[in-house]
C-alpha cells in the first residue's frame, strides 16, 4: 500500500512536471511574441510615418505620447504644392503625403476602439492586408507610401508578432482624416 | 550480473549460426532500405504537383483550334443566373472536369471540385476579346489563378503579370478596364471556402430568376443542376434541391432580383464563412435546411449600422440599408461610387452599374419601415 502510494506520487510528479513547465512557459511565450513585434516595429520604421514628429531639444523626434496614432486629427493640412515632375511631398510630421494618387494620411494603429484602423481586423486579415496591399486583405487599396510591397516578404510569424504588439500598445483616440483621391 | 550475462551465451556458443543471422539481418536491412527507397520514390511521385500558369492561353487547353478560336467541345459552357458586373463586358464561361470525375455537391453552399477542374471566363468589349481568366484546381488542393490579355489582332492571349494590367480597354472619360492581378483574383475568390463563385447550386438553379439583371440566355447544352446530375457530373446533391430548386427568398420579384444581384456581386467577400465573417455582414444566399429562413442580407444589412466611416459618406448615413431611404443607405452609396477608397466591389470594375443601382434603389425604397416589425422589415410574400 505504502509502495503503491509512492509510485502514485512519483507518477503524479512525473505527469505534473511537464504541465507546470508548460504553464510556466506559456505566459513568457506570449510576451516573447509581443517583444518580437516591438522589435520589428522599431526596426522596420513603422514610427517614421505612424508616430507624429515633434521638435525636441536635438531636432525632430517621434512624439511617443502619441505613439503610432497616425496623422493628428487636429492638424489641418493645406493643399499640397502643385507637383512638378516626379516629386512626392509630405507634411512636416511625416504623417501626410501627397503624390499622383492624391493625399494620404498615416493610419492610427493603436487599439483605440473608436478610431484605431485595426479595430475590426483579425490577425488573419492583418497578414492578408500586408500581403496584398488591401484593407482587411480584401477591400480598398492601401495607399502610398505604405511600404507593404516590402513588408509582404515578412514571415507569418513576424506579422503575427507585429499584430500582437499593436493590440496591446496604449490606445490613442485620434480620428485620422479621410484620404483624398486624385481626380481621374 | 549473472542474469545479464546469460543471454549472451547462446550467441557465443553458436558461432556458425552468426553469419546466417547476420545475413538475415543484412537481407532484412537491405529489404527495408529498398522498401524505404521505393516508398520515398512513390512518395515523391505522389507529391502534389503545383504548376505555374502557362505563358499562352492555348496552353491551358481551352481551344480545340486556337487559330479559329474554336473551343474544345468537351468543355461545358455555362451561364450563372446572377452574373458578376464587369463594366458591361460580354462574357463567356466554360468548365472542364477531368474524365470520369464529378463534383461533390453534398454541401450545397460549397461544392467540392475534383483535382484538375478548370474554369475559363472570356471578357469582350466592343466585340473584341480583351482578357480570359483561368482557374485550375491543383493536386495540393489550391486553385491556380491566371489572366491572359488578348492582343489587338486577336491571335494571341498572353499571361498577365502578377500585378495585373492597366488600361486594357479604354472606356473614355479617363476610365479604362483593368485586368486583375493574382492578388485581386484571390481577394474575391478566397473570400469564401468554395472559391468557385459563379458555378453553384443557386447560380445553376433550373428555377432561374427572369428578373435577374444582366441575365444571359443559357448556352447549349443547357448546363444546370439537372443537366449536371443527369450526366453524372454532380453527385450527392441533396434530393431536396432537385425536388425544389434553389430560389432567393424575396418577398417581391424586385427583392428577389436585388438580393440575387447582391449574392452574385458582393457575397464572395460578404458572407458568414470567409475571412470577413467578423463583420457580421452577409449578402450570401445559403441553402438553409429551415424553409422560410430569411435571406442573410435581410438579417445583416437592413437596419444594421455600418462599422466604420468611408470618405464621402453622408453624415446621416449610418445604416448598411435604411428601409425606404436609398439616399441614406451606405451599401448603395458605395455601389454608386468608383472612388477607389469607397467603391464596392473594390476590384475589377471601373464603371458603376446603373441598372443595378436602379434595382437596389427600388428595393430599398419599397422596404417596409422597421417599426412595423422586430428589426427585419418584411412584406407579405406575393406569388410571382
Amino acid at each position: 500500500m505504502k509502495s503503491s502510494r509512492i509510485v502514485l506520487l512519483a507518477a503524479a510528479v512525473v505527469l505534473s512536471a511537464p504541465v507546470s513547465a508548460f504553464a510556466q512557459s506559456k505566459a513568457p511565450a506570449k510576451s516573447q511574441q509581443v517583444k518580437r513585434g516591438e522589435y520589428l516595429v522599431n526596426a522596420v520604421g513603422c514610427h517614421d510615418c505612424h508616430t507624429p514628429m515633434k521638435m525636441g531639444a536635438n531636432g525632430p523626434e517621434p512624439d511617443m505620447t502619441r505613439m503610432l496614432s497616425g496623422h493628428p486629427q487636429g492638424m489641418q493640412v493645406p493643399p499640397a504644392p502643385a507637383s512638378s515632375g516626379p516629386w512626392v511631398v509630405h507634411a512636416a510630421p511625416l504623417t501626410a503625403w501627397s503624390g499622383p494618387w492624391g493625399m494620404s494620411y498615416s493610419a492610427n494603429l493603436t487599439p483605440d476602439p473608436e478610431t484605431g484602423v485595426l479595430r475590426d481586423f483579425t490577425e488573419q486579415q492583418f497578414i492578408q492586408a500586408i500581403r496584398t496591399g488591401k484593407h482587411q486583405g480584401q477591400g480598398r487599396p492601401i495607399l502610398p507610401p505604405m511600404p507593404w510591397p516590402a513588408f509582404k516578404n515578412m514571415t507569418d510569424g513576424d506579422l503575427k508578432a507585429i499584430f500582437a504588439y499593436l493590440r496591446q500598445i496604449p490606445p490613442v483616440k485620434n480620428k485620422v482624416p479621410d484620404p483624398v483621391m486624385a481626380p481621374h | 550480473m549473472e542474469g545479464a550475462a546469460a543471454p549472451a551465451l547462446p550467441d557465443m556458443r553458436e558461432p556458425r549460426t552468426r553469419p546466417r543471422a547476420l545475413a538475415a539481418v543484412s537481407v532484412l536491412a537491405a529489404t527495408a532500405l529498398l522498401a524505404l527507397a521505393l516508398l520515398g520514390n512513390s512518395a515523391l511521385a505522389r507529391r502534389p504537383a503545383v504548376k505555374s500558369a502557362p505563358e499562352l492561353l492555348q496552353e491551358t487547353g481551352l481551344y480545340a483550334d486556337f487559330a479559329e478560336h474554336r473551343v474544345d467541345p468537351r468543355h461545358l459552357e455555362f451561364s450563372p443566373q446572377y452574373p458578376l458586373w464587369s463594366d458591361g463586358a460580354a462574357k463567356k464561361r466554360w468548365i472542364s472536369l477531368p474524365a470520369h470525375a464529378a463534383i461533390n455537391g453534398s454541401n450545397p453552399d460549397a461544392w467540392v471540385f475534383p483535382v484538375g477542374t478548370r474554369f475559363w471566363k472570356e471578357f469582350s468589349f466592343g466585340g473584341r476579346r480583351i482578357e480570359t481568366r483561368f482557374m485550375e484546381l491543383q493536386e495540393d488542393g489550391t486553385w491556380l489563378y491566371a489572366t491572359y490579355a488578348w492582343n489587338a489582332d486577336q491571335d494571341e492571349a498572353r499571361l498577365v503579370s502578377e500585378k495585373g494590367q492597366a488600361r486594357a480597354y479604354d472606356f473614355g472619360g479617363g476610365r479604362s478596364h483593368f485586368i486583375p492581378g493574382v492578388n485581386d483574383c484571390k481577394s474575391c475568390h478566397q473570400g469564401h471556402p468554395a472559391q468557385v463563385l459563379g458555378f453553384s447550386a443557386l447560380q445553376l438553379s433550373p428555377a432561374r430568376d427572369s428578373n435577374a439583371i444582366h441575365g444571359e440566355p443559357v448556352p447549349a447544352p443547357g448546363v444546370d443542376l439537372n443537366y449536371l446530375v443527369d450526366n453524372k457530373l454532380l453527385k450527392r446533391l441533396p434530393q431536396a434541391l432537385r425536388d425544389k430548386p434553389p430560389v432567393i427568398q424575396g418577398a417581391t420579384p424586385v427583392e428577389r432580383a436585388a438580393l440575387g444581384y447582391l449574392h452574385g456581386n458582393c457575397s464572395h467577400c460578404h458572407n458568414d464563412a470567409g475571412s470577413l465573417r467578423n463583420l457580421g455582414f452577409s449578402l450570401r444566399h445559403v441553402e438553409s435546411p429551415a424553409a422560410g429562413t430569411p435571406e442573410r442580407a435581410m438579417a445583416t444589412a437592413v437596419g444594421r449600422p455600418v462599422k466604420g466611416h468611408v470618405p464621402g459618406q453622408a453624415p446621416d448615413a449610418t445604416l448598411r440599408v435604411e428601409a425606404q431611404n436609398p439616399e441614406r443607405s451606405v451599401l448603395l452609396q458605395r455601389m454608386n461610387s468608383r472612388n477607389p477608397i469607397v467603391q464596392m466591389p473594390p476590384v475589377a470594375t471601373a464603371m458603376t452599374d446603373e441598372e443595378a443601382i436602379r434595382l437596389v434603389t427600388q428595393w430599398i425604397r419599397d422596404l417596409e419601415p422597421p417599426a412595423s416589425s422586430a428589426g427585419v422589415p418584411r412584406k407579405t410574400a406575393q406569388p410571382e
Side-chain angles (χ1 to χ4, degrees):
Chain A
M1 193 66 185
K2 193 176 178 182
S3 63
S4 65
R5 277 186 188 168
I6 291 169
V7 169
L8 278 175
L9 185 63
V13 169
V14 168
L15 284 173
S16 64
V19 174
S20 61
F22 177 72
Q24 284 168 3
S25 67
K26 197 171 182 182
K30 182 69 177 174
S31 159
Q32 284 301 318
Q33 187 189 40
V34 169
K35 283 181 182 173
R36 172 76 182 162
E38 182 177 20
Y39 162 76
L40 288 165
V41 164
N42 290 334
V44 303
C46 300
H47 291 289
D48 290 354
C49 292
H50 289 279
T51 299
M53 303 291 280
K54 67 176 183 180
M55 190 57 75
N58 299 311
E61 62 185 30
D63 180 357
M64 298 308 276
T65 64
R66 296 188 287 180
M67 186 177 78
L68 297 169
S69 63
H71 181 81
Q73 68 179 47
M75 184 180 182
Q76 298 288 324
V77 181
S83 176
S84 68
W87 287 99
V88 169
V89 297
H90 64 81
L94 283 180
T95 53
W97 295 75
S98 178
W101 67 89
M103 178 94 87
S104 50
Y105 301 92
S106 57
N108 181 352
L109 302 181
T110 74
D112 181 64
E114 288 179 44
T115 61
V117 73
L118 301 177
R119 63 189 181 280
D120 290 329
F121 278 58
T122 62
E123 180 187 74
Q124 179 197 7
Q125 288 167 1
F126 177 75
I127 293 172
Q128 276 300 101
I130 299 297
R131 294 253 188 273
T132 63
K134 295 178 188 298
H135 188 73
Q136 291 188 282
Q138 287 173 270
R140 67 168 175 81
I142 294 174
L143 296 178
M146 173 67 190
W148 65 267
F151 296 166
K152 76 176 182 183
N153 298 309
M154 290 188 187
T155 63
D156 279 4
D158 283 348
L159 293 173
K160 287 178 181 177
I162 290 174
F163 187 67
Y165 170 67
L166 293 176
R167 299 304 267 186
Q168 55 79 65
I169 61 176
V172 177
K173 188 170 184 178
N174 178 49
K175 174 74 179 74
V176 173
D178 294 333
V180 179
M181 298 305 294
H184 289 287
Chain B
M1 288 297 288
E2 285 177 8
L9 287 175
D11 287 343
M12 298 295 289
R13 292 168 188 170
E14 294 173 7
R16 290 176 63 187
T17 62
R18 213 172 165 201
R20 284 187 199 167
L22 275 175
V25 167
S26 299
V27 169
L28 277 173
T31 308
L33 282 171
L34 182 62
L36 279 172
L38 287 172
L39 269 175
N41 282 342
S42 64
L44 277 175
R46 287 200 308 271
R47 183 179 294 170
V50 178
K51 295 186 290 191
S52 54
E55 271 302 309
L56 297 170
L57 176 60
Q58 60 263 42
E59 294 166 359
T60 65
L62 174 58
Y63 293 98
D65 184 338
F66 180 71
E68 298 291 326
H69 297 159
R70 188 162 59 83
V71 170
D72 189 325
R74 290 172 296 181
H75 305 332
L76 291 173
E77 190 174 354
F78 67 96
S79 173
Q81 64 168 325
Y82 298 113
L84 178 75
W85 165 254
S86 302
D87 296 335
K91 295 193 271 190
K92 300 184 81 172
R93 310 160 185 84
W94 299 271
I95 180 176
S96 167
L97 292 169
H100 313 299
I103 303 161
N104 181 340
S106 57
N107 178 352
D109 296 315
W111 286 354
V112 177
F113 292 84
V115 168
T117 299
R118 291 172 292 173
F119 284 99
W120 296 266
K121 183 153 69 164
E122 179 187 278
F123 295 67
S124 297
F125 292 101
R128 269 199 318 123
R129 294 174 184 82
I130 299 300
E131 62 157 317
T132 301
R133 299 178 191 171
F134 174 59
M135 292 172 63
E136 181 172 5
L137 186 57
Q138 303 179 100
E139 287 186 17
D140 69 348
T142 62
W143 286 93
L144 172 74
Y145 295 97
T147 47
Y148 294 86
W150 286 85
N151 65 359
D153 292 337
Q154 304 281 279
D155 59 5
E156 182 181 278
R158 188 167 284 278
L159 182 66
V160 168
S161 139
E162 279 196 355
K163 295 179 179 177
Q165 182 176 317
R167 293 178 288 281
Y169 181 79
D170 187 9
F171 297 127
R175 294 178 187 271
S176 60
H177 179 66
F178 176 79
I179 298 179
V182 171
N183 273 339
D184 298 315
C185 299
K186 290 181 177 176
S187 69
C188 282
H189 284 273
Q190 294 187 343
H192 186 273
Q195 294 206 40
V196 174
L197 304 179
F199 198 91
S200 64
L202 175 68
Q203 292 285 25
L204 299 174
S205 173
R208 282 173 83 91
D209 186 347
S210 59
N211 294 297
I213 58 174
H214 315 309
E216 303 149 345
V218 178
V223 174
D224 62 9
L225 294 185
N226 294 333
Y227 178 93
L228 293 172
V229 173
D230 293 345
N231 287 278
K232 298 184 170 44
L233 301 172
L234 174 62
K235 293 183 176 172
R236 302 177 65 189
L237 184 76
Q239 184 60 37
L241 291 186
R242 296 218 63 188
D243 299 339
K244 188 179 178 190
V247 169
I248 294 269
Q249 297 301 313
T252 65
V254 167
E255 183 168 284
R256 180 185 174 194
L259 298 185
Y261 180 85
L262 297 177
H263 172 95
N265 284 267
C266 317
S267 76
H268 20 279
C269 289
H270 292 296
N271 58 68
D272 293 319
S275 56
L276 287 183
R277 61 187 174 277
N278 62 320
L279 295 181
F281 179 35
S282 176
L283 298 173
R284 189 177 180 89
H285 167 86
V286 291
E287 287 303 325
S288 170
T293 304
E295 293 289 338
R296 291 292 294 147
M298 302 301 294
T300 64
V302 180
R304 304 297 180 204
V306 291
K307 287 216 167 191
H309 174 272
V310 293
Q313 183 178 315
D316 60 347
T318 58
L319 301 178
R320 289 166 175 160
V321 170
E322 181 173 335
Q324 301 187 335
N325 270 302
E327 297 78 12
R328 287 207 300 259
S329 296
V330 175
L331 178 146
L332 193 61
Q333 288 184 0
R334 299 192 71 171
M335 278 178 62
N336 208 3
S337 172
R338 282 303 176 267
N339 178 329
I341 299 297
V342 181
Q343 74 170 66
M344 282 291 156
V347 296
T349 166
M351 311 285 281
T352 54
D353 185 349
E354 299 302 321
E355 194 174 351
I357 288 163
R358 283 194 294 275
L359 174 67
V360 174
T361 298
Q362 186 184 344
W363 166 58
I364 295 174
R365 190 167 285 141
D366 291 350
L367 284 168
E368 288 182 2
S372 64
S373 67
V376 180
R378 300 295 301 163
K379 287 192 167 193
T380 305
Q382 298 169 0
E384 291 178 30

